[in-house]
Amino acid sequence: MGAVREAVGAAVDICVEIHRQMMPAESIWLGRRLEQFHPYFMRTPCCRTARRMADVQEQCNIPIATGERFTTIFEYQQLLEAKGGLCAARCLSVRRAQRLQKSGRPWPKPSTSK
């Protein structure tokens, strides 16, 4: 990472792709060591549960990007409530989730029909 940062300079954003390949503790360990290189974000460093992503985010100083595989607004709700990161790849869903979060309106109930 140091060689990459040195080669591209501070004006280039570096994104670290982890893709759920680590346990939360490993993600935190790696994130803390990468902080000195100022990466733009780490993408999905551990399993996709909102709470675990938020734990990683709280313990290292690199933004977490995740959410590209979310299929319902409820997954975004959990992420926003856990203060985890968001991925811009699903911007329409993210915008909807953010609007609901800011509006103070209750979240829609998940469908129970089968």
Side-chain angles (χ1 to χ4, degrees):
M1 182 72 156
V4 171
R5 175 52 72 206
E6 187 175 322
V8 300
V12 175
D13 293 329
I14 298 175
C15 305
V16 180
E17 171 66 61
I18 308 293
H19 199 64
R20 294 183 297 282
Q21 297 298 312
M22 297 182 157
M23 300 298 293
E26 295 170 317
S27 300
I28 293 164
W29 180 89
L30 178 63
R32 287 178 178 165
R33 277 140 190 86
L34 294 178
E35 286 175 1
Q36 64 181 315
F37 304 110
H38 308 287
Y40 191 57
F41 63 78
M42 285 196 307
R43 183 171 164 265
T44 318
C46 60
C47 64
R48 72 180 207 177
T49 65
R51 182 67 249 157
R52 290 202 176 156
M53 289 289 178
D55 289 344
V56 173
Q57 180 67 71
E58 289 170 5
Q59 296 185 51
C60 67
N61 209 13
I62 300 172
I64 304 296
T66 190
E68 72 278 1
R69 291 187 178 199
F70 289 176
T71 57
T72 71
I73 195 168
F74 304 105
E75 291 171 291
Y76 286 104
Q77 175 188 11
Q78 292 169 350
L79 193 62
L80 288 168
E81 289 174 351
K83 299 180 182 170
L86 291 174
C87 178
R90 298 286 299 263
C91 60
L92 293 176
S93 296
V94 170
R95 287 184 186 151
R96 182 175 176 211
Q98 287 174 329
R99 281 196 309 268
L100 277 170
Q101 183 83 4
K102 289 178 183 177
S103 74
R105 290 180 293 164
W107 286 82
K109 300 288 184 219
S111 173
T112 56
S113 60
K114 294 183 179 183

